[in-house]
Amino acid sequence: MNARTEPSEAEQSATARPPLVRELLLVVGLFLVYKFGRQLVTGHTTEAYRNAGHVWDWERTLHLPGEGSVQSLLLHGDTLAHLANTYYATVHFPATVAFLVWLYLKRPAHYVWARRVLALLTGAALVLHLVFPLAPPRMLAAAGLIDTAKVYGPSVYGPPQTDTLSNQFAAMPSLHFGWALMVAIGLIVATRSRWRWLWLLHPLVTLVVIVGTANHYWMDAIVAAALLGIALAVVHLPHRTATTAGRAQEKLVPAEPEENVLVGAGR
């Protein structure tokens, strides 16, 4: 395909890219709604602990592995526990933001799709946080788990009674896991490298971290994955993106060789 019939990838991406200011306002607005919406659940301590007991019993009924089996892997030394706490505290938001920024710059159509899926997942999670407050396993005496962030650091939470920056009784679903899984799926779909499946390590490590640090139950991750599956089913993946359209044309309509044109002219 010659330059006259195939626009550059940068030109194609620019035409499909949503307005930057609008997207910034939209993403920030969605984050603030989620952040302040979580605070509506604060104070439901009794209900959150009662629900924690129910979840713990459900997991045992389903014969899910104990969260303690994962935590024991992190307690062989201070370093592993500290690294897990650091991953929990620092990777969640930056990785998701970097994912959205990269899609916005390189795969605009996929960016719109991913942003809608994340918005739907986060909205559904907020509703569940409101109707089903849940204390994490580190607060449940029956679990017998250690609050690794408190013991080994770093911790993103203060005492639940005085922590006004976060809602510690919004364990289900785990958006740490839900967002990490969406980042991996989005990058696998939007890229072509044969190494792209390695992005699944991100949600896998996140799962080990959130369970091993006793911040989430297995059920929190399972519910997050189920909600993400529903969101992916509702928000359709773009069939043809601006960045791949040129390549498709190149395969379907190859340019005629110059020598053929000259032969035809001579006849």
Side-chain angles (χ1 to χ4, degrees), residues 115-214:
R115 186 249 291 154
R116 290 173 178 170
V117 170
L118 285 172
L120 186 57
L121 169 63
T122 305
L126 177 57
V127 172
L128 193 53
H129 292 162
L130 293 173
V131 301
F132 193 78
L134 179 65
R138 57 187 167 82
M139 295 183 183
L140 184 64
L145 298 174
I146 297 174
D147 186 345
T148 60
K150 184 177 180 180
V151 175
Y152 300 98
S155 176
V156 294
Y157 302 121
Q161 299 80 3
T162 59
D163 187 358
T164 59
L165 297 178
S166 60
N167 172 26
Q168 298 187 47
F169 299 117
M172 180 182 289
S174 168
L175 283 180
H176 269 75
F177 181 73
W179 286 10
L181 186 57
M182 180 56 200
V183 168
I185 291 173
L187 289 173
I188 289 170
V189 169
T191 58
R192 297 181 175 184
S193 169
R194 61 180 178 178
W195 301 103
R196 66 187 185 278
W197 296 100
L198 291 177
W199 287 112
L200 290 173
L201 290 174
H202 177 43
L204 178 60
V205 172
T206 299
L207 180 61
V208 172
V209 165
I210 63 176
V211 173
T213 57

Side-chain angles (χ1 to χ4, degrees), residues 183-255:
V183 168
I185 291 173
L187 289 173
I188 289 170
V189 169
T191 58
R192 297 181 175 184
S193 169
R194 61 180 178 178
W195 301 103
R196 66 187 185 278
W197 296 100
L198 291 177
W199 287 112
L200 290 173
L201 290 174
H202 177 43
L204 178 60
V205 172
T206 299
L207 180 61
V208 172
V209 165
I210 63 176
V211 173
T213 57
N215 281 295
H216 287 283
Y217 306 89
W218 294 112
M219 291 292 294
D220 300 338
I222 293 172
V223 172
L227 291 177
L228 177 59
I230 294 172
L232 289 170
V234 171
V235 183
H236 296 294
L237 181 70
H239 295 291
R240 192 183 190 194
T241 67
T243 55
T244 59
R247 292 171 183 163
Q249 288 179 346
E250 183 176 1
K251 294 179 180 179
L252 294 174
V253 190

Side-chain angles (χ1 to χ4, degrees), residues 11-27:
E11 291 172 343
Q12 295 172 49
S13 298
T15 57
R17 189 174 297 125
L20 177 60
V21 174
R22 187 194 71 183
E23 291 304 310
L24 287 175
L25 292 175
L26 181 59
V27 172

